[in-house]
Each structure stands twice: as structure tokens, then as C-alpha cells.
Amino acid sequence: MKIFISADIEGVSGITSWDATRYGGKGYEEACREMSLEVAAACRAALKHGCHVVVKDGHEDAMNIDHNLLPEGVELIRGWMNSPMSMMGGLDDTFDGAIYIGYHSGAWTANSPLKHTCEDYIYNWFKINGRYASEFTINSQVADELGVPSLLVAGDEGACRDAAAEYPGIKTVPTKRGIGDSTWNRHPETVIAEIEASVDEILSRPLPEPRKLEKEYTMTLCYKDFQRAATASWFPGVKKIDDFTVSYTAETPRELARCRYFVG
């Protein structure tokens, strides 16, 4: 059995400020360590079940996880593949399940001081088929297309709540709750233990099927700068809705990802 873990940093326990998510910022080293330990917890449970485990570091330059803090045998993908798969780079149809660690609330919410969808400095919000989209939305749909079910999300309460609404049956592990510019955090050891126990529980029973694909996928992007919308409108098939907003319709999630790769 093969398990793919996509990891981000804004949703791990304790992380509250943008400084803590960036090199040189206050709390960055602490954030990287917590990200690594939460990922390691999911890895331990998967290895217990004899899984082949691949981790994709999906934050900033994708070089945040300390490989030495992961169990021996786990493979880690660092850096970017120059691929539209982005945070799911390395996933293919040979995997049996996907797990998401450190995920955060989407750009349209008020659930976290670190809420955003993809590049915070580029987009005001995303929609897919008329519904606001988070990074989990985008990435889990790519997994669906490859026939890989999404098994667990660990992240802030808003991210967990939205993922559960989108993906019935998915297991969630909340790490914290956002209140204004603050976060109310569960203890890191509690979060780590719950991630490990939850993955163990999931892998102890037959895995679910992925969601069925929709007939088509329309992506609506609202940019912070009107210049980006003007540039994006030159991509084949992209329609300009207003000075800040464009849309694109595709048959599959990966086709959407390919468009966004070039119009981001």
C-alpha cells in the first residue's frame, strides 16, 4: 500500500503569524519542527501498516521539513517539480490514499489569521464550480482524478470543518482555532498523538473510494491586482469577468491545475 502526504505549515499547532512561516521570521524554526513532527506522526502510523510513504513538502520553497525527524524509510520530496501538480507533485495513480498535514482555512474565511488559498499575495479568492475553494479543495480534486481517496486532514478548525463538508467521511484532526489575529492552540503532543492514532485507525479498515468526478470544472480567480487578470485573459480559454476576475472551464481537475500554473 502506498500513502502520499502533502504538508503545509500554516495549519500546524502553535503557528500564528506570517513571520513564523518565512525564513528568518520569529518562530520559523519552531514552525518547521512542528510541521516535521506532525508529518512524522502520520508516517509512523502508515509504516506500522507496511505502507510505502512519500511526503511532499508543500510550503513556500518546499524545503521546510527536517528529513531526520521523519521515520527511517520515508521518502521526502523537497523543492518544486516545475509541475502544475504543485503541492501534490509526485502523486500518481499507484497511490492508495492521500493525507494532508498542516492545512489551513481558505482565502474567503475569517477562521485563521493565516487564511489564504495558494499565493496570498496574488489571489483574493478562488472558486471552483461556484463554490469557494481552499488548497484542500484543489488538491483533493486532483487526487480524485487519479483515483486516490483523501483520508485525513490535520489543520486549523476552519480547514477541518470545510474539508469535512466537501469530502464526507474524511477524518479530521483540528490543531487550533483562529480568533482575530490570534490562534487558540491544542498542545502539540496532543495533536501529534491524535494524528498518529487517526491514521492508524483509517489504515486498519478498508480504504474508501475517491469521490466521483464532476462533469466539468469551472475555476474563477479573483486577483488582488488588475494587471494579473489582464495578463491571464490571454491564456487560451480564459474569460475575463471584470477587471480583477477571470474564469476557465476544464473537463478535469488536472486541466484546471495546468491553467492556473500559467495564469498565477
Side-chain angles (χ1 to χ4, degrees):
M1 186 157 53
K2 292 178 68 176
I3 296 296
F4 185 90
I5 299 176
S6 175
D8 207 347
I9 208 169
E10 289 90 354
V12 303
S13 179
I15 310 311
T16 305
S17 71
W18 287 110
D19 275 353
T21 71
R22 295 168 179 145
Y23 282 114
K26 181 181 179 180
Y28 174 70
E29 297 299 329
E30 174 190 348
C32 287
R33 178 174 172 80
E34 183 61 22
M35 179 186 187
S36 301
L37 292 175
E38 290 185 17
V39 169
C43 292
R44 284 194 299 272
L47 290 172
K48 174 184 173 182
H49 289 269
C51 297
H52 175 190
V53 182
V54 177
V55 174
K56 175 68 186 85
D57 189 323
H59 176 68
E60 290 279 345
D61 62 0
M63 292 189 285
N64 309 276
I65 294 173
D66 185 344
H67 206 168
N68 290 305
L69 293 178
L70 304 185
E72 185 177 0
V74 172
E75 297 176 5
L76 174 64
I77 302 173
R78 308 187 85 207
W80 297 109
M81 293 178 159
N82 304 116
S83 159
M85 293 286 283
S86 188
M87 297 172 74
M88 303 302 280
L91 182 72
D92 60 31
D93 60 7
T94 66
F95 284 86
D96 298 285
I99 290 170
Y100 308 83
I101 302 293
Y103 270 54
H104 51 79
S105 292
W108 74 97
T109 73
N111 297 322
S112 167
L114 301 176
K115 56 91 173 177
H116 65 284
T117 300
C118 299
E119 291 78 10
D120 180 60
Y121 61 93
I122 294 179
Y123 305 106
N124 283 318
W125 48 259
F126 258 73
K127 285 185 180 180
I128 296 179
N129 288 351
R131 300 182 294 273
Y132 285 112
S134 66
E135 290 171 16
F136 170 77
T137 308
I138 297 164
N139 296 338
S140 63
Q141 287 179 350
V142 166
D144 290 336
E145 182 181 346
L146 291 167
V148 180
S150 294
L151 307 177
L152 175 141
V153 176
D156 67 65
E157 278 190 1
C160 289
R161 184 169 57 249
D162 290 338
E166 290 179 29
Y167 211 109
I170 195 168
K171 187 77 172 178
T172 62
V173 178
T175 60
K176 57 191 174 187
R177 175 163 51 100
I179 307 172
D181 280 332
S182 72
T183 58
W184 192 321
N185 298 273
R186 301 179 71 202
H187 193 280
E189 291 295 338
T190 301
V191 170
I192 288 165
E194 190 168 326
I195 289 173
E196 186 168 356
S198 295
V199 174
D200 183 26
E201 177 188 344
I202 292 165
L203 297 179
S204 296
R205 56 178 187 257
L207 297 184
E209 295 293 322
R211 290 174 300 189
K212 292 182 179 179
L213 294 181
E214 299 188 39
K215 293 182 178 179
E216 64 178 19
Y217 294 83
T218 296
M219 172 177 65
T220 309
L221 305 177
C222 180
Y223 295 93
K224 292 184 181 292
D225 300 320
F226 68 86
Q227 296 94 332
R228 288 187 182 274
T231 300
S233 68
W234 287 96
F235 187 88
V238 170
K239 298 178 181 178
K240 191 173 180 182
I241 297 174
D242 59 38
D243 285 342
F244 293 87
T245 314
V246 301
S247 71
Y248 180 82
T249 299
E251 293 184 359
T252 69
R254 284 193 293 173
E255 186 183 343
L256 277 192
R258 185 167 58 249
C259 173
R260 192 187 70 79
Y261 184 70
F262 289 101
V263 303

